[in-house]
Amino acid sequence: MTTTQERVDLLNELGLDAQNKAALGQVLGTGSIGKATERADGRMEATIRIRPDEISWDPSILVMPHGGDIELELVNDDLNTHCALLPSNGDRKFIWLVNHSKGKATLNLDGPGYYWFSSPTGNDEGRGLTGAIVVLGDVPPEARLDRPDQPRP
C-alpha cells in the first residue's frame, strides 16, 4: 500500500503524470478531486480545466453534495483544441473548446451516482481526457426497488 504522496512521487518517477513522458496522457484516476459549491439559490457551480500538456481534466472527479442543477465553467488552457461531452438529464451537452478558450454549461443531474464526461475529439479519451461527476445522496423513495432494506456501511 502506498500513501498519497508516495503514489504521486511514483507516478512522477515512472513518467505517468504528464503527457509525452511514459504515456500519451495522464493515467486514469491520477487527477484531482474537487467539490461543487452551492449558491444561495440552491444551484451549484464549479470550474473544470484542461491544463497545458496534461491531457486530463482538473479536477478529474467533481463531487456534488446532492442532485440538482450545476453550472460548469470549462477552461482549456492547453495549446490544442478539445471539447467536452457532458451528461445532463434529458440530453447531453457538447462544448467545443479551442485552445485557450472557455465555455459554460448548465447540467441537471437529479439522481445520485457517477456521471462520466470526456472529450471525444481525436483520441482524447484514449489519452486520458475523461472525468466523472459524482452526485452524493440517496435514491428518492419513489425510485427505489421493492425489496427489503439492505445493510449499509
Side-chain angles (χ1 to χ4, degrees):
M1 184 181 323
T2 59
T3 65
T4 302
Q5 187 57 49
E6 289 170 336
R7 183 173 187 262
V8 169
D9 292 342
L10 181 59
L11 287 168
N12 185 298
E13 179 184 322
L14 296 172
L16 296 175
D17 64 342
Q19 179 182 5
N20 295 331
K21 288 187 179 179
L24 290 173
Q26 289 197 2
V27 175
L28 291 175
T30 60
S32 61
I33 299 173
K35 292 182 180 178
T37 56
E38 191 167 3
R39 299 188 315 218
D41 64 0
R43 273 194 129 138
M44 291 166 269
E45 60 187 6
T47 299
I48 300 176
R49 307 184 89 83
I50 302 171
R51 301 226 182 257
D53 294 327
E54 291 187 10
I55 310 294
S56 66
W57 300 104
D58 182 28
S60 62
I61 300 172
L62 178 65
V63 179
M64 292 173 55
H66 56 80
D69 292 327
I70 183 166
E71 290 182 10
L72 289 181
E73 181 177 52
L74 300 142
V75 182
N76 180 10
D77 291 328
D78 197 18
L79 296 174
N80 295 306
T81 297
H82 303 285
C83 66
L85 183 60
L86 302 158
S88 185
N89 290 341
D91 199 9
R92 292 178 162 199
K93 307 288 180 162
F94 181 88
I95 295 181
W96 191 249
L97 296 165
V98 298
N99 52 329
H100 297 290
S101 68
K102 63 176 136 180
K104 289 194 176 211
T106 300
L107 311 178
N108 177 270
L109 302 172
D110 64 356
Y114 291 88
Y115 297 86
W116 299 96
F117 63 96
S118 65
S119 173
T121 304
N123 188 28
D124 282 354
E125 291 173 319
R127 297 185 313 165
L129 199 50
T130 59
I133 299 173
V134 178
V135 179
L136 302 178
D138 284 327
V139 175
E142 64 273 10
R144 293 185 185 157
L145 296 174
D146 186 19
R147 64 180 188 174
D149 288 340
Q150 301 296 305
R152 305 218 20 136

